[in-house]
Structures are given as C-alpha cells and as structure tokens.
Amino acid sequence: MLKRRTYTCGLDAALDVMGGKWKALILWELIDGALRFGELRRRVAGISERVLILQLKELQACGLVHRELYHQVPPKVEYTLTELGESLITAMTPLGAWGERNMATIEALDRGL
C-alpha cells in the first residue's frame, strides 16, 4: 500500500503509486479495456495468483484500477483502468517506447554483468 508521507518530487509520488515491476505490467494489460482475473493472470507472464491479487488490491486502493463485481452465477469480476490509471498509462507510454528502442542494448548490458 502507499506510504503516508510527503514526496520530494512528482517522480517520487509516481514511483510510490506504481511500486515495482508487476503494477506497471498489470496497468499496461488494461490499456485496451476490461479484463477478468484469469485473463490478467495469463497476460502477465510469471506472476503468481497471490501476487496478482495483492497488486490488484493495491492498485484499487491507489485509485488506478476499478473492480466491478457482477452478481451472477458464477460471479464475474472485471478490472478496468480509472481515469487516474489512464493518465498514468499516458505518462508511461514514452518510457515503454524508450525501452523498446533500447531493449537490445539493455539486454546486452545485462548479459555482460
């Protein structure tokens, strides 16, 4: 969850909200619209069910993701980006493009370590 503190700059606040690898990848998968839990789990390679549940709860608490529960049998739950989440995706898009452009260099450097 978010730490209750004063941020030193906007980047500090943004990184606190995004908090690590999984949240950004979950948000990225929600760009095109609502997804159910199982769909998200399949799309975010390597994430465990437990971690996905925790990360979704934190994203909801931060106001980035909306959880819609449909009262039917069997129950259906969908996750979507909120307006705040969509604005964060807009900010993340140039960073993703930078990563795409430099992926080969980054991978080569990583292999060299």
Side-chain angles (χ1 to χ4, degrees), residues 95-108:
L95 183 60
W98 179 87
E100 287 289 329
R101 285 191 309 273
N102 295 288
M103 194 178 305
T105 301
I106 296 166
E107 288 173 345

Side-chain angles (χ1 to χ4, degrees), residues 49-68:
E49 185 172 327
R50 180 180 177 279
V51 170
L52 181 55
I53 290 168
L54 292 172
Q55 296 293 284
L56 284 167
K57 285 182 181 180
E58 289 182 18
L59 289 167
Q60 285 175 254
C62 294
L64 298 173
V65 169
H66 173 73
R67 180 183 186 265
E68 185 71 34

Side-chain angles (χ1 to χ4, degrees), residues 26 29-30 33-50 52-53 56 67-68 75-79:
I26 293 165
E29 291 302 331
L30 292 170
L35 290 175
R36 295 178 73 175
F37 182 86
E39 293 170 312
L40 266 173
R41 178 127 188 258
R42 283 189 293 278
R43 289 182 180 208
V44 181
I47 194 168
S48 71
E49 185 172 327
R50 180 180 177 279
L52 181 55
I53 290 168
L56 284 167
R67 180 183 186 265
E68 185 71 34
K76 176 181 172 183
V77 177
E78 288 184 337
Y79 296 91

Side-chain angles (χ1 to χ4, degrees), residues 72-84:
Q72 62 187 47
V73 177
K76 176 181 172 183
V77 177
E78 288 184 337
Y79 296 91
T80 56
L81 292 173
T82 62
E83 189 174 320
L84 185 62

